[in-house]
Every structure is written in structure tokens, then in C-alpha cells.
């Protein structure tokens, strides 16, 4: 059994190269993988399931085709697409996951997260996150027109870029004590997340034995994926724009 995990594609109409790379990779997943896990920030921004623009419909159609062909796709919210809801799930066939989800891969329990709540030093972001994830705030936003919502999203997007350009890399990375707390909360020795855009596999001691934290890479220039096979092996791969790679 092959499970593929990706995160932080930030799909948007202005990056047709990344969109094309993903759709090709999705086709390969249908042919060679059993399940695909998308751990947030799949879209650069998502302003509501009723925004059925030609671009969004193209992505929805690609996902629906893949799930209809037998690929199980699981979706976790990120900080860019937390407004994705049940309608998106129905249209695509994707199953929505909670913010903290333990999955067994090759018999090993692994905690999946987007990763943003692990960055406990980024107080400005966490303040925004608390507001944005409030159900009343979301309901208020979704009552606005699509035009108004798009303007709100663009404003927050600009603010996010300004924040990341002026905040130290250390502050925007995960806090190790929070990583360990989350893993102990769920009684796991392995975690996989995205968000930080720093693909790597980190090993450390937890509960007297070796634990791992695997960080998925962003799709800024090339693609990135974690391939988990039935023999227990896990490999971070780079998917080049200029070359077709398969998750086999």
C-alpha cells in the first residue's frame, strides 16, 4: 500500500505551471497510490465553497475524477483554506480531517497536522488564527458577497506577506516543546506536518526512544511529497517541473 502526503501547494490562477504539475502528479497517484493526504494550504486562498470560479472548478473536477477512479483523498485545513467545507467535500469526494489526526501507516501511528499551531512563538499569527477559526467570524465572512470576501482575503494575504518578511525565521518555525507535547497528547512517536516550508526529517528523543518529525515541502518552484510504503519506508521526494516523477 502506498500513501502520499503533500502540503502547501498554494494553488492559484497566476501559477499555471504549479497547477499543471499537480494535475500530472495527481494522475500518477491514481495509477500508483492508494491514498493522498493534503495537509493544508492546498489553495493560496479559499473564500468559500460557493466560489465556483472556472479555476476552482478545474481543480474540483480534477480531484473528483481522481476519487471516482478509486484514489482516497483526505484533506486537512491550512491557514489559507480554512473556509473549505462540506460542499467542497461533496463536490470532490475528498474526506475532511480534523486539525489533529492520527493515522496508521504501515501499522505505525502517525500524527498529521498542518503545523501552524506548533509555531507558538509567532504570537501575531496565533492571534489572527484564533479570530479566523471562530465560527461566528467565519459565518460573518461567508455572508459577504464574493467580491467583498475576495477583497478581505487579499488584504489578509498582503498582511501575511508583510508579516513573514519582517519576522525572524526562528519565530515562524515550530517550537520543539509544543511538538513533543502534541505527540505525547496523542501517544505517538512520529509526526508529519507542513506550513513552515522547511522540508526535512528531524529525529529526537521522546519517551526514552527515537521520535521523528517530518516536514513536507512547499510547491513554490518544484513539487514535494512524502511517499509512505507498506514496508514502513518513508521518503521525501522533489517533483521537478521539467521532469515527470511518479510516487512509485
Amino acid at each position: 500500500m502506498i500513501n502520499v502526503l503533500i502540503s502547501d501547494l498554494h494553488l492559484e490562477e497566476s501559477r499555471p505551471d504549479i497547477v499543471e504539475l499537480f494535475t500530472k502528479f495527481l494522475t500518477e497517484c491514481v495509477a500508483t497510490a492508494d491514498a493522498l493526504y493534503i495537509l493544508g494550504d492546498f489553495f493560496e486562498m479559499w473564500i468559500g465553497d460557493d466560489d465556483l470560479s472556472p479555476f476552482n472548478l478545474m481543480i474540483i473536477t480534477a480531484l473528483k475524477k481522481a476519487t471516482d477512479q478509486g484514489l482516497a483523498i483526505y484533506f486537512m485545513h491550512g491557514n489559507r483554506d480554512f473556509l473549505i467545507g462540506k460542499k467542497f467535500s461533496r463536490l470532490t469526494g475528498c474526506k475532511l480531517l480534523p486539525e489533529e489526526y492520527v493515522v496508521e501507516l504501515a501499522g505505525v501511528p502517525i500524527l498529521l497536522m498542518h503545523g501552524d499551531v506548533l509555531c507558538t512563538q509567532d504570537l501575531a499569527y496565533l492571534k489572527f488564527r484564533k479570530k479566523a477559526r471562530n465560527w461566528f467570524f467565519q459565518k460573518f465572512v461567508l455572508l459577504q458577497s464574493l467580491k467583498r470576501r475576495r477583497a478581505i482575503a487579499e488584504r489578509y494575504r498582503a498582511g501575511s506577506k508583510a508579516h513573514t518578511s519582517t519576522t525572524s525565521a526562528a519565530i515562524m518555525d515550530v517550537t520543539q516543546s509544543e511538538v513533543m507535547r502534541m505527540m505525547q497528547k496523542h501517544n505517538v512517536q512520529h509526526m508529519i506536518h507542513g506550513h513552515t516550508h522547511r522540508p526535512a526529517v528531524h529525529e529526537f528523543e521522546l519517551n526514552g526512544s527515537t521520535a521523528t518529525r517530518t516536514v513536507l515541502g512547499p510547491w513554490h518552484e518544484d513539487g514535494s511529497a512524502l511517499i509512505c510504503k507498506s514496508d514502513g519506508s518513508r521518503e521525501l521526494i522533489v517533483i521537478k517541473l521539467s521532469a515527470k516523477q511518479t510516487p512509485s
Side-chain angles (χ1 to χ4, degrees):
M1 184 169 186
I2 297 178
N3 294 281
V4 182
L5 296 96
I6 58 176
S7 179
D8 299 277
L9 283 76
H10 295 269
L11 297 180
E12 58 181 328
E13 199 165 1
S14 64
R15 288 299 306 271
D17 53 338
I18 297 298
V19 174
E20 182 181 4
L21 183 66
F22 169 68
T23 54
K24 288 181 178 179
F25 185 67
L26 186 60
T27 299
E28 295 300 325
C29 285
V30 169
T32 61
D34 299 281
L36 173 66
Y37 292 82
I38 303 173
L39 302 189
D41 284 3
F42 181 58
F43 292 96
E44 173 65 8
M45 63 179 184
W46 186 264
I47 61 174
D49 289 359
D50 56 336
D51 182 17
L52 299 178
S53 67
F55 175 77
N56 288 346
L57 280 175
M58 177 180 64
I59 304 300
I60 286 170
T61 300
L63 292 171
K64 179 60 174 171
K65 181 179 178 181
T67 55
D68 282 348
Q69 291 177 318
L71 179 67
I73 303 181
Y74 301 92
F75 189 94
M76 183 175 287
H77 294 110
N79 49 290
R80 300 279 184 160
D81 46 24
F82 55 85
L83 287 177
I84 281 178
K86 293 180 180 179
K87 182 178 180 179
F88 177 87
S89 179
R90 290 195 302 271
L91 290 174
T92 61
C94 296
K95 299 176 183 178
L96 299 180
L97 298 178
E99 294 180 0
E100 303 165 20
Y101 183 75
V102 176
V103 62
E104 281 205 3
L105 300 179
V108 177
I110 300 176
L111 175 60
L112 306 182
M113 301 180 69
H114 176 58
D116 53 340
V117 296
L118 301 172
C119 305
T120 60
Q121 296 183 75
D122 195 350
L123 299 180
Y125 167 70
L126 290 179
K127 182 179 179 180
F128 162 75
R129 188 186 192 280
K130 183 177 181 180
K131 174 183 176 181
R133 296 303 179 96
N134 180 276
W135 71 270
F136 182 80
F137 173 82
Q138 292 188 10
K139 185 174 183 179
F140 172 78
V141 170
L142 291 173
L143 286 173
Q144 310 303 307
S145 67
L146 284 173
K147 182 179 180 180
R148 174 63 177 159
R149 272 182 264 163
R150 195 166 288 111
I152 293 171
E154 288 290 358
R155 186 169 70 248
Y156 279 123
R157 183 184 183 187
S160 175
K161 288 183 177 180
H163 174 66
T164 55
S165 66
T166 57
T167 305
S168 73
I171 287 177
M172 292 188 293
D173 202 357
V174 303
T175 303
Q176 181 63 15
S177 60
E178 183 65 8
V179 169
M180 297 171 73
R181 188 189 74 81
M182 278 291 184
M183 293 175 74
Q184 289 174 325
K185 172 185 174 182
H186 292 280
N187 194 30
V188 298
Q189 291 292 112
H190 305 279
M191 170 189 283
I192 300 171
H193 70 84
H195 181 66
T196 63
H197 298 183
R198 302 175 187 184
V201 179
H202 302 273
E203 292 189 349
F204 51 95
E205 185 175 313
L206 180 67
N207 300 324
S209 60
T210 301
T212 65
R213 176 173 66 89
T214 303
V215 187
L216 304 175
W219 290 50
H220 286 162
E221 301 303 328
D222 297 312
S224 176
L226 177 67
I227 311 301
C228 301
K229 297 185 178 180
S230 56
D231 61 4
S233 64
R234 298 192 290 271
E235 180 186 6
L236 274 171
I237 67 168
V238 174
I239 310 146
K240 294 290 184 180
L241 279 170
S242 58
K244 187 177 183 181
Q245 291 193 17
T246 72
S248 59

